[in-house]
Amino acid sequence: MSRACVYILNQNPIYRGMFSVSVRMLRKHNPSIPIILLYIQDAGLDNYKLPSNLAKHIGRDAAKKYMMIEEQEIFDLCKNLHIELRCLPSPCHLLNRYSSAHRVYLKEIQEESVLLLDTDTFIFENIDSLFDKQSDFVADRMRGYFVSTKDKPPHTEQTSWLVTFKNGLENIKVKMSPFNSGVVVFHKGKAALYGEQVGDYCNQLLLKKHPFADVMYAHREDARNREECACTLFVLENKLTWEYFDKSEVQTHTSEFPTKIFHSTSPAWPYYFDMFGNQGLLMENG
């Protein structure tokens, strides 16, 4: 069974730095697993406003110690860590400048089993066992983030939505937690199939041409969650077998060790980057 870990990265320097942190942790614990980087040459223009805000919260000394933000540094890192680098043009003239829709390039991935990793992930263990999952598709639940109140500290809670999906000419409603697509295992070549379909799903949702769009917009008026909604529709409408990760395998937003992969999400990444750096868990430059 052919397999690979896949990252999708664009030319924004902050995300290049995140990738350099994540992939070195991955390679430390997984010295031989194939890794592919799909590097989208978009001049960093396909991002939301978030990256400039993130930079304010990343300490200069920590960034210098642990992050590689220059393009040539990433190219050299790929060479040194035996990562297959594929440079690709931005597809976003078709996709309304939306970096998550760069997943259209998963159609280029021919491996039967794929672990897709966002750049804002931290890897703490060998991840071979994740490829042993039997379902066609495995991901974590989408979780809502809640700020502190007088009764509770900052925390996350599992979200449950009424998802409407198409089954032939019929619309089906099911109450479930949508998938967080930051860490996903695809089996049976489904990563390539997702790449073929994700762009159309994202545009259907954006333009309110899918019955699930109303619920999506109710949760985010800017529709910046449309790729995760597209991911959920892809699984349901293609009738894939699926399951959620156990927290010992993958966690999102808040960490409770032990876990193999922690997906901080981008807004929380500076906090966990600082914490894990202070704990000596990150790989230093040089």
Side-chain angles (χ1 to χ4, degrees), residues 161-216:
W161 294 12
L162 188 63
V163 178
T164 303
F165 67 97
K166 299 176 183 178
N167 183 16
L169 298 177
E170 185 180 9
N171 288 342
I172 306 293
K173 295 182 183 292
V174 59
K175 192 171 185 179
M176 64 176 289
S177 174
F179 301 114
N180 184 297
S181 60
V183 182
V184 178
V185 170
F186 295 93
H187 284 313
K188 302 177 184 177
K190 301 305 183 185
L193 181 63
Y194 185 52
E196 293 171 4
Q197 297 183 11
V198 62
D200 185 53
Y201 273 121
C202 284
N203 282 337
Q204 284 187 51
L205 289 163
L206 179 68
L207 300 174
K208 300 184 178 180
K209 294 183 177 181
H210 192 285
F212 188 38
D214 289 342
V215 174
M216 180 194 76

Side-chain angles (χ1 to χ4, degrees), residues 98 100 103 106 116 137-140 142 163 165 176-186 190-191 194-195 197-202 205 210 212 216 225-240 242:
Y98 182 49
S100 293
R103 283 166 165 78
L106 287 172
L116 177 65
F137 177 96
V138 191
D140 201 8
M142 185 184 291
V163 178
F165 67 97
M176 64 176 289
S177 174
F179 301 114
N180 184 297
S181 60
V183 182
V184 178
V185 170
F186 295 93
K190 301 305 183 185
Y194 185 52
Q197 297 183 11
V198 62
D200 185 53
Y201 273 121
C202 284
L205 289 163
H210 192 285
F212 188 38
M216 180 194 76
N225 55 350
R226 64 187 180 272
E227 189 274 324
E228 291 177 315
C229 293
C231 186
T232 302
L233 293 175
F234 166 77
V235 172
L236 297 176
E237 294 187 353
N238 284 279
K239 300 179 180 179
L240 305 190
W242 61 270

Side-chain angles (χ1 to χ4, degrees), residues 16-236:
R16 285 198 294 249
M18 289 181 179
F19 166 76
S20 71
V21 171
S22 178
V23 77
R24 282 181 288 177
M25 296 180 78
L26 176 63
R27 185 53 89 206
K28 174 184 177 181
H29 298 289
N30 305 269
S32 61
I33 197 164
I35 303 174
I36 300 170
L37 172 61
L38 304 180
Y39 187 58
I40 314 303
Q41 296 176 309
D42 68 340
L45 297 176
D46 292 341
N47 289 110
Y48 190 45
K49 62 184 179 181
L50 182 63
S52 59
N53 294 331
L54 283 177
K56 302 174 185 177
H57 302 288
I58 299 172
R60 180 174 296 183
D61 291 342
K64 186 176 181 180
K65 187 174 183 179
Y66 297 116
M67 297 174 70
M68 297 179 178
I69 63 172
E70 299 298 331
E71 187 169 80
Q72 189 58 53
E73 290 180 310
I74 298 301
F75 292 168
D76 292 343
L77 182 63
C78 288
K79 182 178 179 180
N80 293 335
L81 297 184
H82 306 290
I83 297 166
E84 180 182 344
L85 171 65
R86 303 184 191 179
C87 296
L88 300 161
S90 172
C92 282
H93 62 288
L94 302 175
L95 298 166
N96 301 286
R97 288 291 179 194
Y98 182 49
S99 60
S100 293
H102 291 167
R103 283 166 165 78
V104 296
Y105 279 122
L106 287 172
K107 64 186 178 183
E108 308 289 337
I109 301 297
Q110 299 303 310
E111 280 72 14
E112 184 178 5
S113 294
V114 170
L115 174 61
L116 177 65
L117 292 164
D118 273 3
T119 58
D120 51 6
T121 52
F122 299 88
I123 290 80
F124 298 102
E125 297 180 15
N126 183 282
I127 50 82
D128 282 342
S129 63
L130 300 186
F131 287 98
D132 296 333
K133 310 290 284 186
Q134 296 301 304
S135 300
D136 298 333
F137 177 96
V138 191
D140 201 8
R141 295 170 172 84
M142 185 184 291
R143 300 181 186 275
Y145 179 78
F146 299 87
V147 298
S148 60
T149 66
K150 64 178 182 180
D151 300 316
K152 284 187 176 182
H155 65 288
T156 63
E157 293 179 4
Q158 178 180 325
T159 58
S160 184
W161 294 12
L162 188 63
V163 178
T164 303
F165 67 97
K166 299 176 183 178
N167 183 16
L169 298 177
E170 185 180 9
N171 288 342
I172 306 293
K173 295 182 183 292
V174 59
K175 192 171 185 179
M176 64 176 289
S177 174
F179 301 114
N180 184 297
S181 60
V183 182
V184 178
V185 170
F186 295 93
H187 284 313
K188 302 177 184 177
K190 301 305 183 185
L193 181 63
Y194 185 52
E196 293 171 4
Q197 297 183 11
V198 62
D200 185 53
Y201 273 121
C202 284
N203 282 337
Q204 284 187 51
L205 289 163
L206 179 68
L207 300 174
K208 300 184 178 180
K209 294 183 177 181
H210 192 285
F212 188 38
D214 289 342
V215 174
M216 180 194 76
Y217 274 102
H219 284 270
R220 281 202 66 158
E221 294 181 355
D222 60 4
R224 299 298 299 183
N225 55 350
R226 64 187 180 272
E227 189 274 324
E228 291 177 315
C229 293
C231 186
T232 302
L233 293 175
F234 166 77
V235 172
L236 297 176

